[in-house]
Structure formats: C-alpha cells, structure tokens
Amino acid sequence: MKDDTPKVAPGRTVITPINCLIVAVIAGISFALLAIWIARQGNTVPGIDRSLHGWAVARRSSASIKIARGVTRGGVTQIMLPILIVVGLFATEAGHTVTRRLKSGVLIALVASVGAYLGLQINHLEGRVRPPVTDWAGTAGGPSFPSGHTTVASLFAASSAWLIATRVHAGWPRIALWSGAVLYAGAVGFSRIWLGVHWPTDVVGGWLYALTWLSASAAVVLMIRKRWPHPLVHK
C-alpha cells in the first residue's frame, strides 16, 4: 500500500495543536489587555510611548532614515502577501505538482490576508491617533494601533518560516529559520518607530496580534490534518 503520509525533514517538532493554542491564548489576552489600556487613555499618550518616540526621533540621521524606509517596505501588504504565494510554490515538498504547490501558497496567503484584514478592522475600531506629523520621516495613513506594517511583516515572516520548515532539518537549521523570521518582523516593527509614524505600543500590538492569529490558525490547520486527510492541508 502506498504511504501518503507527508514527508518532512527529520526531527521532533514542538509545533503541536495544544502548544499553538496555548500561545494563541496568552498572546490574545496580552493583545486584548494592551488594546483596552490604550483605548482608555483616549487622546493621552502614555509616558513610555512619548519617551521611546522622542528617543528614536532625536537619534535619527539621514542614513538611518534611508535604511528604515527600505526595511519598512517589508511590511507593505500589496507586496508581501502576494509573495507568500511564490514562497508556497517553491517551499512545498519537491514531489508535488505545480498545481498543488500553487494551492499551498494561495492557502497560506489567504490565511495571512484574512488576518491582515481583521487587524485593519481592529485598527479602525481603536482609532488611535498617530505621533505628530512633524516627526514623520516616512509615509503612513489611518489610525495607529496596531501597526499594520508590523502585523503584515510578522504574518509574512512566520508564514514563510512555517512553509519552509518542512524542508529544513530540525535543530539549528530550524532555529536559524525561525530566528530569521523573528528578526525580520522585529526589524520592520522597529523601522516604524524609527520613522516616527507609530508609537512603540502600536508595534508591540502588531506583534501580539499577528502571533495570536498565526498560532490560532496553526492550531486549526494541525487539527484538520489529523481528522481530514486532504492533500491541500498536507502541502
């Protein structure tokens, strides 16, 4: 009998449904508490936001601004989410057809896109005012919390790492892969602070929201894999 079990790189994984649910609950509660706290501040900006914002603006140089503007492009929705389809196309197991690879990329991009859309709705609902326009060194639009660029960058980085992880051996290779994803999301988030277009807690909110969405989505996907042996969910 032919074994249709998906082949992955050897090694034990800690990405299990229960672990993902635990992370989703912790991150979700943290995000909700942060959102409530910021909403209760009204138009008042917390001291920690003012201090860190002022620290970043005071230390910017023309060179660092140019770098930050380049880095911040890593969180542009119209660029990064379509790239996920390409990542899925090339990261899916080599023995699969192009059609199946494409479906894998479209599925992961769709999950990330829904997450980005819901984050945007929260952003409009929260309605937080951005830092003063005079401090901006980059473009921005709409309310401030959570940071949209940070959210999209985090969704892209973690989704890409999820896709590529099945092709990478456990241990240091996967640690390096996930560390790279964290650094990517961290760099884009920091660029938003450095450019003066977001308060630091906006960026923290983007990280927490993305972690909540991705962890919950991963838990659902892993549970479906156990109960519904459809090739699309087994990449």
Side-chain angles (χ1 to χ4, degrees):
M1 180 181 293
K2 183 180 178 181
D3 183 8
D4 292 326
T5 302
K7 296 178 177 60
V8 297
R12 184 180 179 183
T13 178
V14 295
I15 303 180
T16 64
I18 186 64
N19 288 344
C20 290
L21 283 175
I22 291 173
V23 172
V25 169
I26 294 175
I29 292 175
S30 300
F31 174 74
L33 291 175
L34 179 60
I36 292 171
W37 179 67
I38 289 175
R40 288 182 174 178
Q41 302 296 316
N43 294 326
T44 302
V45 180
I48 188 171
D49 273 328
R50 290 198 304 271
S51 298
L52 293 176
H53 173 78
W55 176 88
V57 171
R59 285 161 177 76
R60 295 185 310 202
S61 63
S62 58
S64 66
I65 288 175
K66 287 181 180 179
I67 293 173
R69 286 174 178 170
V71 172
T72 206
R73 290 182 178 274
V76 176
T77 304
Q78 296 86 342
I79 297 175
M80 304 319 299
L81 294 184
I83 290 178
L84 269 180
I85 299 177
V86 180
V87 174
L89 184 62
F90 288 98
T92 307
E93 191 177 342
H96 294 162
T97 65
V98 173
T99 300
R100 186 169 170 184
R101 287 164 173 256
L102 185 60
K103 286 180 179 179
S104 178
V106 171
L107 178 62
I108 199 75
L110 179 61
V111 171
S113 297
V114 172
Y117 173 77
L118 293 178
L120 183 62
Q121 302 312 304
I122 295 173
N123 176 277
H124 288 301
L125 181 64
E126 192 80 7
R128 191 185 196 189
V129 178
R130 290 180 183 269
V133 178
T134 52
D135 292 339
W136 291 14
T139 58
S144 193
F145 179 91
S147 166
H149 278 68
T150 303
T151 297
V152 170
S154 301
L155 292 171
F156 171 79
S159 297
S160 296
W162 168 274
L163 287 168
I164 298 171
T166 58
R167 304 291 298 276
V168 177
H169 285 273
W172 286 110
R174 285 188 188 173
I175 292 175
L177 174 65
W178 285 104
S179 296
V182 171
L183 288 174
Y184 181 95
V188 173
F190 185 74
S191 74
R192 304 306 286 169
I193 299 172
W194 198 255
L195 292 174
V197 295
H198 274 292
W199 302 110
T201 48
D202 298 335
V203 172
V204 174
W207 288 328
L208 288 174
Y209 169 73
L211 182 59
T212 302
W213 176 257
L214 289 170
S215 298
S217 299
V220 172
V221 169
L222 291 172
M223 287 187 288
I224 289 176
R225 284 181 177 178
K226 288 184 176 181
R227 294 170 172 78
W228 183 41
H230 192 282
L232 180 57
V233 296
H234 284 288
K235 296 197 296 300

